[in-house]
Amino acid sequence: MHGAPAGGRPDGDRDAAPVTATVPTALLARLIGPLHRGRVTREDQEAIVDTMTALEGAPFRDLKYRLNATGDHHDLEHLVFDHLDEDLQEVLLEHIAAQAGEEPASDLRVLCDIDDTVQSAIHDERFPRGTVYPGVVELLTQLDRGATADPGRVGDLTFVTARPGGPLGLVEQYTRDDLSELGMPTHTVLGGSLLNLHTKNAIAERKLQNMERDHLLFPECRMVFIGDSGQADGDVGAQMAARPHDHVVGTLLHDVTGLDDAARATWAEQGVHVFDTYVGAAVHAVRLGLLRPEQAYAVATAVRTELEAVELEEEQTARVTALLEADLADLAALDATDAPPAG
């Protein structure tokens, strides 16, 4: 790919751009991928940026999504923020922003925490440690498909965690493999570092950075964040909602610490919607226009089926059953007015 067609760089050979435009994006993604594994030379960086900025519109967006769905830590975020020199990073991000402004999309970026959100890990006493929450995989799958009658582009699921990436992204890769075994749809993982594990504020800052990076890479998309009440995820969601861009639809916050009604109301005012079971999360998603009611019922079916396979103590069973019945009542009470048209 050395000598690839130029695009956004001022010194590029723009006459060569049509050549890149005729190459299938699947092939371009396969050519670019190996260039940002290991040491990335300046020449390779320029070839990557020239090739990407030569594309516009749907082909450019398709290339972005393909580069982000590599199945390992060499995804689009890794390419842009870890392997590009600052000047080339700026050129590519400017091109991404320009293309987003030309044709905004309705696709939903689904950003999700892992510990106490996907599986019981730290604070939740309702389930044994390591339990994958009933219905979480179905909810994430339905959100990835979108609320429109025609399923949207899949592959918009990203796990945002403070877990360190580790050398050569090994921890990120282990996390990704572990999640894939649960039946998760195509996804990427944005990790942290050991320095981010010391305080809740540090964890929140790393997650905010990851979410901002995701927005820079996909500014044409809306975003929903799913986290839990144990590690500052509510603060992360509220801060994202308060920033000067309006792409954040809302945050779904899994209550693992026993939030009272007053706390839930305060969070709701900040765009953070607290839920107890993944039926409750699906109800909030319908009200936000992220799911259709029938998708929420699919989540409810998964919750009930998967809950039967979880071994709970008597007290845990009573507590979880009560929470689930309350959420199922909310689901049954959904009215057409609760589900705004999908955007």
Side-chain angles (χ1 to χ4, degrees):
M1 277 191 58
H2 299 308
R9 290 197 305 124
D11 58 342
D13 176 10
R14 293 179 181 271
D15 292 337
V19 177
T20 297
T22 63
V23 179
T25 53
L27 176 57
L28 289 176
R30 288 198 297 271
L31 292 172
I32 290 172
L35 291 183
H36 71 104
R37 284 166 168 78
R39 179 176 175 272
V40 184
T41 67
R42 175 72 183 192
E43 186 179 9
D44 286 342
Q45 293 180 48
E46 291 176 351
I48 291 170
V49 173
D50 287 348
T51 300
M52 294 186 68
T53 55
L55 295 177
E56 297 180 344
F60 175 68
R61 291 194 298 275
D62 185 60
L63 179 59
K64 280 198 310 178
Y65 303 136
R66 289 180 182 277
L67 291 174
N68 202 49
T70 58
D72 58 26
H73 76 286
H74 298 286
D75 51 25
L76 186 63
E77 189 261 352
H78 184 255
L79 165 62
V80 175
F81 294 106
D82 292 341
H83 276 168
L84 291 185
D85 292 341
E86 186 174 347
D87 61 323
L88 294 176
Q89 180 185 111
E90 183 178 350
V91 167
L92 183 53
L93 289 176
E94 287 179 354
H95 187 70
I96 289 173
Q99 293 304 303
E102 289 292 327
E103 191 177 347
S106 61
D107 281 305
L108 179 71
R109 298 287 296 166
V110 182
L111 275 63
C112 186
D113 180 51
I114 298 175
D115 296 329
D116 280 341
T117 304
V118 171
Q119 61 184 15
S120 177
I122 303 172
H123 301 281
D124 198 346
E125 297 180 353
R126 300 169 302 172
F127 292 90
R129 292 290 182 266
T131 300
V132 176
Y133 289 113
V136 62
V137 175
E138 184 66 23
L139 177 80
L140 294 175
T141 299
Q142 295 294 346
L143 286 172
D144 190 33
R145 291 173 179 168
T148 58
D150 296 325
R153 182 196 67 248
V154 297
D156 285 315
L157 173 60
T158 298
F159 290 96
V160 181
T161 175
R163 293 179 179 183
L168 302 178
L170 292 179
V171 177
E172 278 189 19
Q173 185 60 51
Y174 174 81
T175 301
R176 183 181 288 103
D177 293 342
D178 195 37
L179 292 166
S180 296
E181 291 178 359
L182 301 180
M184 293 291 182
T186 303
H187 59 271
T188 57
V189 176
L190 299 180
S193 70
L194 292 175
L195 296 177
N196 294 122
L197 300 179
H198 293 300
T199 68
K200 286 187 177 181
N201 286 338
I203 291 172
E205 283 301 317
R206 180 61 181 188
K207 289 182 179 178
L208 280 167
Q209 181 191 61
N210 283 338
M211 294 172 73
E212 284 288 3
R213 285 184 171 186
D214 192 87
H215 179 53
L216 287 172
L217 297 176
F218 301 96
E220 70 274 17
C221 297
R222 300 172 301 152
M223 178 189 294
V224 63
F225 175 46
I226 307 170
D228 66 85
S229 62
Q231 284 194 326
D233 288 343
D235 292 326
V236 171
Q239 289 184 54
M240 284 298 296
R243 293 191 177 187
H245 31 60
D246 59 359
H247 70 292
V248 178
V249 181
T251 292
L252 305 179
L253 191 71
H254 188 208
D255 183 14
V256 296
T257 56
L259 298 173
D260 59 24
D261 289 343
R264 293 177 181 227
T266 299
W267 279 125
E269 292 173 357
Q270 301 174 75
V272 178
H273 308 280
V274 180
F275 67 92
D276 296 300
T277 76
Y278 275 89
V279 174
V283 170
H284 283 308
V286 171
R287 290 172 176 160
L288 292 170
L290 304 179
L291 293 181
R292 302 186 307 278
E294 58 265 32
Q295 291 176 295
Y297 277 100
V299 174
T301 298
V303 170
R304 286 181 288 199
T305 300
E306 294 167 18
L307 185 58
E308 292 178 357
V310 180
E311 295 186 5
L312 301 177
E313 296 179 359
E314 184 176 350
E315 181 180 349
Q316 291 174 319
T317 299
R319 185 176 177 186
V320 172
T321 299
L323 294 173
L324 178 57
E325 288 178 350
D327 285 342
L328 288 170
D330 286 341
L331 176 60
L334 277 178
D335 185 85
T337 57
D338 291 317

